Amino acid sequence: MDSPTPAAGTSIGAAPRFLAARPWIGDVAWAVLLALLGVFSRPTVSFDTPPQIVYTLIVIGCCTAVAVRRRFPRGSLILIGLLLLVHLLVVPEPGVFALAMCLVAVYTAQTQTPSPERWIFTILAGVGAVCGTVAAAAVLDGDWRARTIVVIAVTALLAVVALIGIIRRQARNRYQAAVERATVLEARQNAERRLATVEERARIAREMHDILGHSMNVIAMQAEGARYVLRSDPDQADTTLGDIARLSREAVDDVRDLIDVLRADDEPSTTRPVPSLADVAELIGSYRSANDRIRLHVSGDLTAVPAHVALSGYRIAQEALTNASKHAPDAAVIVRIAVSDRIVELTVANPLPLHSAPASHGGGHGLAGMSERAKALGGTVEAGPDPTTGIWKVVARLPRRRT
């Protein structure tokens, strides 16, 4: 025997989803079934006598109300109630159809109308069903026990249908609440992803600013120096041009490595070693041909500093040196790195020319970028001139461990 194919399983599962998306189909089906019940039960549907004509119109009206009960719940219930009242007053023989319509009214009231309307409609439908049952049980002359049993059975049936409607309504409310929570959670996750994207872009922008700002500034200074020594000292000019070529290649490699971060996971990456505080000496060396008055003082073990702290310290030193070379190109610069058990303190100090304003010394986003790097680690950056000596200082304090 052949096993069921996936297509067959898919078609079987698609039917409930199709009906769930179109609940009016179920309502129309119930309306058709109730119409058949009205046709084949007593009294008969015909246009021979006035009561039969009224009953026929009642069946048509009630079934129409059932077909549109989801779209117009209040109107459907009011129409069913009025038609059943006419049925009770005009038609001398209450039948099963009237009881079925009372049950449908109770279920619709519990599932489609808000509180307290649902209980008003439920009570009215229950009273009407009991009254119709009493009238129908009048054929049991003198047998009060049978009448009592019929009334109790109908009342219990109404209570069961009302309970089913309550359970159905609560299940639907729980489903809607779960959908709303899922929607809110999805929106929150999307917002978090967008925020992470913005933060990543800001980080990449800071890295790009540090890399290009440092390299282009040094290249510009060395190019200016090469112009002055090109004729008087060709060897020095050749060395300077070689440094420019080397710095240009390093800048291109750094930018390429940074862009590699944006590639897909399945693409190869050729990222070079991440710079750290131990590379500050080499960083200073790149400025030496333009300014040989840069000094480095180190205390503590630079290799013991965590990689993420060492990278931030390197970038802060790079930005501070770039600003110093831009605003005081020939001034002496002192770089101090002190590593202790709990903190890494980095200081870059240089005289501030009289024509430079502290607000412009940061070069726009430089100071903000340094502050953001330190803040991300739980540290601080202080930048400004000493009021007594006029020395511009950038002091960064970076915790070795986030507290």
Side-chain angles (χ1 to χ4, degrees):
M1 181 180 295
D2 295 337
S3 59
T5 61
T10 303
S11 62
I12 293 174
R17 291 194 295 269
F18 178 82
L19 295 177
R22 297 166 179 82
W24 58 270
I25 296 178
D27 293 337
V28 172
W30 277 110
V32 172
L33 292 176
L34 289 170
L36 294 176
L37 179 64
V39 170
F40 293 104
S41 64
R42 298 181 63 86
T44 59
V45 173
S46 69
F47 293 94
D48 296 337
T49 63
Q52 290 178 328
I53 294 174
V54 171
Y55 178 70
T56 301
L57 296 177
I58 289 173
V59 171
I60 295 174
C62 288
C63 292
T64 302
V66 171
V68 298
R69 69 187 184 91
R70 293 180 190 270
R71 188 169 185 179
F72 308 103
R74 295 183 181 87
S76 298
L77 290 172
I78 293 173
L79 178 60
I80 291 173
L82 293 176
L83 291 175
L84 291 181
L85 179 61
V86 173
H87 185 290
L88 183 63
L89 297 177
V90 176
V91 180
E93 186 181 355
V96 179
F97 176 79
L99 176 60
M101 289 308 306
C102 288
L103 297 178
V104 171
V106 169
Y107 181 82
T108 302
Q110 288 296 327
T111 58
Q112 303 298 325
T113 59
S115 181
E117 293 181 14
R118 68 169 66 100
W119 294 109
I120 295 176
F121 285 121
T122 299
I123 293 173
L124 292 177
V127 171
V130 171
C131 292
T133 302
V134 172
V139 296
L140 303 173
D141 296 331
D143 193 352
W144 61 270
R145 293 181 179 178
R147 293 184 182 182
T148 303
I149 292 174
V150 171
V151 171
I152 293 175
V154 171
T155 304
L157 186 59
L158 290 170
V160 170
V161 172
L163 180 60
I164 294 174
I166 293 173
I167 295 174
R168 172 61 179 167
R169 185 186 71 250
Q170 292 177 346
R172 185 183 61 200
N173 291 341
R174 286 194 297 268
Y175 173 78
Q176 292 175 349
V179 171
E180 292 177 358
R181 287 194 298 269
T183 303
V184 172
L185 180 60
E186 182 179 3
R188 183 181 302 172
Q189 290 175 344
N190 290 335
E192 291 176 352
R193 282 194 292 267
R194 288 194 296 268
L195 180 60
T197 300
V198 171
E199 291 178 350
E200 181 66 12
R201 288 177 179 176
R203 184 189 67 81
I204 293 174
R206 288 196 300 268
E207 293 286 340
M208 194 75 74
H209 172 272
D210 294 340
I211 293 171
L212 295 182
H214 157 68
S215 300
M216 295 301 102
N217 189 63
V218 174
I219 289 172
M221 290 190 301
Q222 292 187 346
E224 290 291 335
R227 291 178 56 193
Y228 291 108
V229 301
L230 184 58
R231 294 182 179 178
S232 60
D233 193 349
D235 293 336
Q236 180 63 32
D238 182 71
T239 301
T240 302
L241 292 175
D243 291 339
I244 292 175
R246 178 180 57 80
L247 286 171
S248 300
R249 287 192 297 270
E250 290 179 355
V252 171
D253 291 339
D254 288 339
V255 172
R256 183 183 294 114
D257 291 341
L258 189 58
I259 293 176
D260 279 346
V261 177
L262 304 179
R263 292 181 176 179
D265 292 339
D266 57 348
E267 294 185 7
S269 178
T270 56
T271 304
R272 297 187 302 162
V274 177
S276 65
L277 288 173
D279 299 314
V280 172
E282 182 180 351
L283 174 67
I284 292 175
S286 64
Y287 288 92
R288 284 281 165 76
S289 60
N291 183 0
D292 60 355
R293 302 177 63 189
I294 304 177
R295 298 292 182 267
L296 173 64
H297 301 279
V298 178
S299 62
D301 185 5
L302 297 181
T303 60
V305 179
H308 63 288
V309 179
L311 174 60
S312 296
Y314 177 89
R315 293 304 186 195
I316 292 173
Q318 187 179 52
E319 179 63 29
L321 287 172
T322 299
N323 290 338
S325 64
K326 182 188 301 182
H327 296 278
D330 298 324
V333 180
I334 304 297
V335 180
R336 290 188 176 89
I337 304 175
V339 179
S340 63
D341 293 337
R342 301 182 60 183
I343 196 169
V344 177
E345 183 173 292
L346 171 67
T347 304
V348 179
N350 64 282
L352 178 66
L354 296 177
H355 63 274
S356 295
S360 65
H361 189 72
H365 301 286
L367 291 179
M370 289 189 287
S371 297
E372 287 296 324
R373 287 185 181 278
K375 185 177 179 181
L377 299 175
T380 60
V381 169
E382 298 176 0
D386 189 294
T388 57
T389 63
I391 299 296
W392 180 275
K393 288 186 178 181
V394 175
V395 182
R397 296 179 178 86
L398 309 177
R400 294 182 60 173
R401 295 179 179 82
R402 187 66 182 267
T403 57

